[in-house]
Amino acid sequence: MQLNSLIERVEIPARQARSVRVGAGRRVRVTTETGGQVGDLFAFTGDDLAEHLSAAHTRAHVGRLFPAVGEQFVTDLREPILTLIEDASPGRHDMLIPACDPARYRALGVVGAHASCAENLRRVAGPLGREIDVVPQPVNVFMDIPVDQEGDLAWLRSPAAAGASITFEAVRECVVIVSACPQDLVDINGGTPKPLVLEYAAHMEGSVRS
């Protein structure tokens, strides 16, 4: 599936996050070029980024744990924000697990600082004029968290091979923020966090990118 014209490429270093502004009708693709790397994806609308993609509202909207190709993600105001256009991966993604944060790493035995998706989001959103008080539930692309018949979760290594990608189309102009998850204590990234790549169609001069 081709992106729109004026393609921009943004490399997301391991353990860090980047943001892009995507115009309505434009597409954005997340790729794990090395394979096996989870990405926490957030999306916000409005100049003040007050409305955000909501995993919980999306599950209710589509009646599934994760949208199928052609279905939409919605915001906390139940408005469409992204459409899943193409999934060139094994199709294992998650919308149950919250973004990792300092408390999560302390619980896993980390002493001192450790990068996290929650802090990555706050760091990237700050220059955009948005202070994040409550971190939204992310869309965890390439993350495999199956639920068994007893309701138990399994934390599996990402099955996404090198070059796997997932492509979204913006229903409305939005800021998309993706964190290359720093998790190295649970095996979702194979023990070694790796970079991700964002490709998007710039919709105007001066598109947000940080």
Side-chain angles (χ1 to χ4, degrees):
M1 182 70 68
Q2 295 294 315
L3 294 175
N4 306 86
S5 60
L6 301 178
I7 301 303
E8 299 281 352
R9 174 187 169 94
V10 178
E11 295 187 4
I12 308 173
R15 305 174 185 266
Q16 297 184 31
R18 295 291 185 269
S19 71
V20 296
R21 187 180 294 276
V22 185
R26 301 285 184 166
R27 294 177 182 174
V28 58
R29 175 185 293 146
V30 186
T31 302
T32 171
E33 291 191 335
T34 58
Q37 174 61 39
V38 169
D40 284 34
L41 182 148
F42 307 88
F44 299 84
T45 69
D47 291 338
D48 58 356
L49 308 188
E51 187 178 351
H52 61 81
L53 187 161
S54 168
H57 291 83
T58 297
R59 293 195 302 269
H61 178 71
V62 299
R64 298 165 48 88
L65 288 175
F66 196 88
V69 171
E71 294 182 332
Q72 293 179 328
F73 299 80
V74 300
T75 70
D76 53 318
L77 299 182
R78 301 184 189 271
E79 294 291 335
I81 182 170
L82 295 175
T83 302
L84 180 55
I85 295 297
E86 182 183 57
D87 189 359
S89 80
R92 302 301 300 175
H93 310 285
D94 167 75
M95 292 201 307
L96 294 176
I97 304 302
C100 59
D101 54 26
R104 170 66 166 156
Y105 289 108
R106 287 195 297 272
L108 290 171
V110 172
V111 177
H114 191 291
S116 71
C117 290
E119 292 307 298
N120 283 346
L121 172 63
R122 291 189 171 100
R123 186 173 298 111
V124 170
L128 303 179
R130 176 77 162 97
E131 292 187 7
I132 304 294
D133 296 321
V134 178
V135 174
Q137 165 70 55
V139 174
N140 296 308
V141 298
F142 313 130
M143 184 172 177
D144 190 6
I145 308 290
V147 183
D148 68 19
Q149 292 183 344
E150 285 70 43
D152 293 326
L153 304 177
W155 297 74
L156 302 185
R157 182 175 297 192
S158 172
S165 66
I166 185 168
T167 305
F168 307 88
E169 183 174 278
V171 179
R172 53 202 288 204
E173 183 176 312
C174 59
V175 172
V176 174
I177 298 174
V178 177
S179 171
C181 183
Q183 180 60 263
D184 53 5
L185 301 173
V186 175
D187 201 33
I188 60 171
N189 294 315
T192 305
K194 297 167 284 292
L196 292 170
V197 171
L198 268 176
E199 294 173 284
Y200 72 108
H203 71 291
M204 64 178 73
E205 293 184 1
S207 296
V208 170
R209 173 176 163 179
S210 64

